[in-house]
Amino acid sequence: MATQQKRQALASVAITLFALIPLLGIAWALGISDMLGINLYNEQVLASAIALALPATFLSFSNGEKFSTWRVPLDVTLGLLGFLSATYIAINYPRVISELYTRPADLFVCSTIIVVVCLEATRRVAGLPLALVVFFFLLFGLVGHLIPGDLQGRQTDFDLLMAYLAGDSNSMLGMPLSVTINIIIAFILFGVILEKTGGGSYFTNLSLSLLGKYTGGGAKIAITASALFGSISGSAVANVASTGVVTIPMMRKTGYKPEQAAAIEGVASTGGQLAPPVMGAAAFLMAEALQIPYQEVVIAALIPASLYFISLYLQTDLLARRDGIRPVAKEDIPVFGNIFFGGLHYLTAFIILIVALFAFRFPPGESALFSSAFLLIVQFFPGIGRKEHRISSFSGIVDLLSTAGKTCATIIVICASAGIIIGVLNISTLGFALTLSLLELTGQNLATLLIMSAALSIILGMGMPTVGVYVLLGTLVAPAIVEAGTTLMGAHLFVLYFGMMSMITPPVAIAAFSAAAIAGTRPMLTAGKTVLLAWTAYVIPFLFVVSPPLLLEGSALEVTEAVTMSILGIALVSVGSVGYYFGKLSLLMRIIISAMGAGCLLGVLYPMLGIIMGTTSIALLVFLGMRGKRSNSASQTT
């Protein structure tokens, strides 16, 4: 009985702390402190967020579900130490920043506690690999001056290092955490409100009403729903969990094999993190890191994301035709008009978001809050939404805030740890040395550098949410690609794409494994299928990083040529990989078509090759299409 009461009490504390995190973000985004005449440093708010996130993390992400007699005191102690130390930094920040390099004892103690506790919190929310990466950089900050060669770092005393990491605006209280508090929290809240008011099921049903009657409709529904909802979810795994429970059974019912259904959902959900306008919240971090308007990031990401989903759509359509996959049963397809108008307020919320961002150029955080407020208000209008989806009671509001806060706490902890890495790179000069080392290791050969960077991005991105993936890779890997002569935008999108591919690339393909669990199939088999379906995401980044027209940088003619060659190449390789085009293709024909597709993709870089391959391939496709139609007509006549 006492253990149960203890569990309930700790759960209540965790829920309260989680709920306070989005409230803090909302208040700061709306400038409530300025309205009240309270002048605060941005860093004071960031430290307050850490103070809330650390204890909430330890009370929620324990090393097991059981509250044993020794685990509870450990979790509470770590959470309390983190809370008190971060709160002390927040309250005393004006003094902290002025005395940081004099190394006062109180700052040293609080900073050391924050760094150590944050490291353990990172292990719990993101896994041991990321915690080990952060620990390695911490260790380098202490002993890096002893390492011979190009990677030798600047000597830094332990007390100064700790104070710098926890108190300087170029470390834990830096850009990643600032963007999280100012922008990302608002979008996470918008996503949670959208889901809890029925938006997730609305987009799935809307896709069903539009695409269910077509061949392979189940897969096309999964792609569309995951692209729409995944952009704001901030996690490929969360996207799989929210849409996959509906789409995977639907695909299986229409004839897809379990591993095919799981793979399609895994690839679509991962692609949602790459889809504008939100891109799993990475777009805002990228804009801040590159010091450019957010709108430029969205525009640049538009064509690569479109190519990703065009490829997935083509492959699922060809698979359905090859394997005789049925459309969704008519009785299971809702009437489009009923669905569309019944949830028009969800689309209106997105329209408000887009108009606020692009037409009125409001700050992203405020734009997301406007859309959230619209959804919360309009749900009470007569005839709008279902009663079970209304958030009206106090408990419902607390549940909404705590759900959003739990996701925010994870991101806050990861961004704080990323800040530790950034801080060590700055104070030890390791960042510059890493860039030079990568360039020297690859002989400054761009192709070799890109291949190595892609592999590093997949390895370092394993198991992390989208925001964590980008912060880590944008700091460690992207600078070397830029130094090799690419554009800033191309380099940062390159590492984001390959970082997200860690979600579906073995051995730690957590999005694929989550989809496999829903489908009830073997995880590694599903992961293999996802890699084959997502082949575009492993190829297109190599093209856009050296061909700016694919990022809409260049003349209209250059952009048109690059996009045309890319779409044709994707279509050809998709036909070759599936082995179907108006009928099943022989192995030789599949190889020929795939080779032509590769030639068209290379045509993005070598226009003359593209013209030759494009013309030849179109003639071949016309011939195969006519032959396939004649064969089908003859079989029907017989």
Side-chain angles (χ1 to χ4, degrees):
M1 185 67 179
T3 302
Q4 182 63 27
Q5 290 176 343
K6 187 182 295 184
R7 185 196 298 269
Q8 291 176 350
L10 292 175
S12 297
V13 172
I15 288 171
T16 302
L17 292 170
F18 282 136
L20 288 173
I21 292 174
L23 288 177
L24 176 68
I26 292 170
W28 187 242
L30 295 178
I32 301 298
S33 60
D34 292 337
M35 297 178 190
L36 298 175
I38 304 173
N39 295 320
L40 294 174
Y41 287 89
N42 185 56
E43 289 79 6
Q44 288 179 283
V45 179
L46 304 186
S48 299
I50 293 176
L52 294 173
L54 288 178
T57 296
F58 285 106
L59 294 178
S60 181
F61 296 89
S62 188
N63 276 354
E65 293 299 322
K66 294 181 179 179
F67 283 71
S68 65
T69 55
W70 65 271
R71 172 56 57 188
V72 169
L74 177 62
D75 290 339
V76 172
T77 301
L78 289 173
L80 187 60
L81 285 173
F83 174 79
L84 293 175
S85 300
T87 300
Y88 185 87
I89 296 288
I91 294 173
N92 296 282
Y93 187 77
R95 181 177 66 83
V96 166
I97 195 62
S98 63
E99 299 179 0
L100 191 149
Y101 288 94
T102 64
R103 317 175 196 186
D106 57 341
L107 176 58
F108 167 69
V109 172
C110 290
S111 299
T112 303
I113 290 173
I114 291 173
V115 171
V116 172
V117 171
C118 187
L119 186 63
E120 168 60 13
T122 301
R123 185 188 67 82
R124 296 196 184 191
V125 302
L128 185 60
L130 179 60
L132 288 176
V133 170
V134 178
F135 178 76
F136 166 79
F137 278 94
L138 272 174
L139 190 62
F140 183 90
L142 295 173
V143 303
H145 64 285
L146 301 176
I147 298 176
D150 295 335
L151 290 178
Q152 186 176 55
R154 179 193 300 159
Q155 182 174 359
T156 307
D157 294 336
F158 180 68
D159 54 351
L160 177 58
L161 177 63
M162 293 297 106
Y164 179 84
L165 293 179
D168 195 274
S169 60
N170 292 307
S171 189
M172 293 180 75
L173 304 181
M175 183 272 292
L177 192 56
S178 180
V179 174
T180 298
I181 303 304
N182 287 287
I183 299 174
I184 294 175
I185 284 179
F187 276 88
I188 290 173
L189 185 63
F190 174 56
V192 172
I193 292 173
L194 191 67
E195 174 66 19
K196 287 190 174 293
T197 56
S201 59
Y202 169 74
F203 288 120
T204 300
N205 288 330
L206 185 65
S207 304
L208 176 59
S209 66
L210 286 170
L211 302 169
K213 62 183 178 181
Y214 297 108
T215 301
K220 294 166 185 174
I221 293 163
I223 296 169
T224 306
S226 296
L228 289 171
F229 186 71
S231 179
I232 61 171
S233 69
S235 168
V237 177
N239 199 8
V240 168
S242 59
T243 59
V245 292
V246 176
T247 59
I248 290 175
M250 185 188 304
M251 284 187 276
R252 293 191 61 181
K253 187 177 179 180
T254 58
Y256 283 99
K257 296 177 181 178
E259 61 273 14
Q260 286 180 328
I264 291 168
E265 177 58 42
V267 176
S269 292
T270 301
Q273 308 302 295
L274 304 169
V278 183
M279 298 167 62
F284 310 115
L285 283 164
M286 194 176 296
E288 190 71 20
L290 302 184
Q291 293 295 294
I292 60 175
Y294 156 77
Q295 291 81 357
E296 290 186 18
V297 176
V298 172
I299 291 170
L302 188 60
I303 289 178
S306 299
L307 294 175
Y308 181 99
F309 282 102
I310 286 171
S311 170
L312 183 56
Y313 188 95
L314 282 173
Q315 289 180 88
T316 53
D317 184 74
L318 291 168
L319 280 169
R321 296 180 185 280
R322 185 195 70 185
D323 299 338
I325 303 295
R326 303 181 303 275
V328 177
K330 288 185 178 180
E331 59 270 20
D332 293 333
I333 301 176
V335 178
F336 171 75
N338 295 342
I339 296 297
F340 179 78
F341 291 106
L344 193 57
H345 56 292
Y346 299 119
L347 292 176
T348 304
F350 269 97
I351 292 172
I352 291 172
L353 177 65
I354 300 301
V355 170
L357 283 170
F358 293 94
F360 294 100
R361 293 187 175 270
F362 287 161
E366 290 183 15
S367 301
L369 290 178
F370 291 151
S371 298
S372 299
F374 170 79
L375 282 176
L376 289 175
I377 293 171
V378 79
Q379 66 175 330
F380 295 106
F381 287 13
I384 292 183
R386 297 181 179 179
K387 289 184 178 180
E388 62 268 25
H389 288 151
R390 288 180 184 170
I391 305 171
S392 55
S393 64
F394 178 75
S395 61
I397 294 173
V398 171
D399 178 61
L400 166 70
L401 292 172
S402 62
T403 301
K406 190 169 185 178
T407 302
C408 294
T410 299
I411 295 175
I412 288 169
V413 169
I414 290 173
C415 285
S417 286
I420 292 175
I421 295 173
I422 294 170
V424 171
L425 291 175
N426 288 332
I427 200 169
S428 68
T429 69
L430 177 60
F432 182 70
L434 277 176
T435 298
L436 287 181
S437 296
L438 271 175
L439 291 172
E440 290 179 5
L441 188 62
T442 58
Q444 298 194 14
N445 180 280
L446 182 57
T448 306
L449 175 62
L450 290 177
I451 292 171
M452 181 176 290
S453 298
L456 279 173
S457 297
I458 291 174
I459 293 169
L460 293 175
M462 287 179 178
M464 289 195 294
T466 306
V467 170
V469 168
Y470 173 69
V471 171
L472 187 63
L473 299 177
T475 302
L476 297 179
V477 182
I481 302 176
V482 174
E483 285 296 321
T486 68
T487 64
L488 277 168
M489 184 68 71
H492 282 254
L493 279 176
F494 182 89
V495 297
L496 175 62
Y497 264 72
F498 280 103
M500 290 313 304
M501 288 306 98
S502 68
M503 301 293 108
I504 56 175
T505 305
V508 190
I510 58 174
F513 293 169
S514 299
I518 296 174
T521 186
R522 288 176 291 172
M524 291 305 295
L525 176 62
T526 300
K529 296 285 186 182
T530 60
V531 170
L532 293 176
L533 279 173
W535 68 268
T536 308
Y538 298 92
V539 174
I540 292 299
F542 284 95
L543 297 179
F544 68 59
V545 79
V546 293
S547 179
L550 284 177
L551 302 179
L552 289 175
E553 297 178 14
S555 66
L557 179 60
E558 290 173 331
V559 171
T560 302
E561 289 176 348
V563 172
T564 301
M565 285 294 102
S566 297
I567 292 175
L568 184 56
I570 286 171
L572 288 165
V573 176
S574 296
V575 168
S577 64
V578 175
Y580 182 90
Y581 185 73
F582 289 98
K584 292 186 178 181
L585 301 174
S586 65
L587 178 60
L588 177 60
M589 187 56 66
R590 292 175 66 176
I591 294 173
I592 292 173
I593 292 176
S594 297
M596 287 185 168
C600 289
L601 290 172
L602 287 174
V604 174
L605 307 179
Y606 307 103
M608 185 55 65
L609 175 64
I611 292 172
I612 295 171
M613 285 294 184
T615 305
T616 307
S617 61
I618 289 174
L620 177 61
L621 289 176
V622 170
F623 168 75
L624 291 175
M626 294 176 64
R627 189 184 69 176
K629 287 181 179 179
R630 286 197 300 268
S631 177
N632 290 336
S633 298
S635 61
Q636 289 174 2
T637 302
T638 303

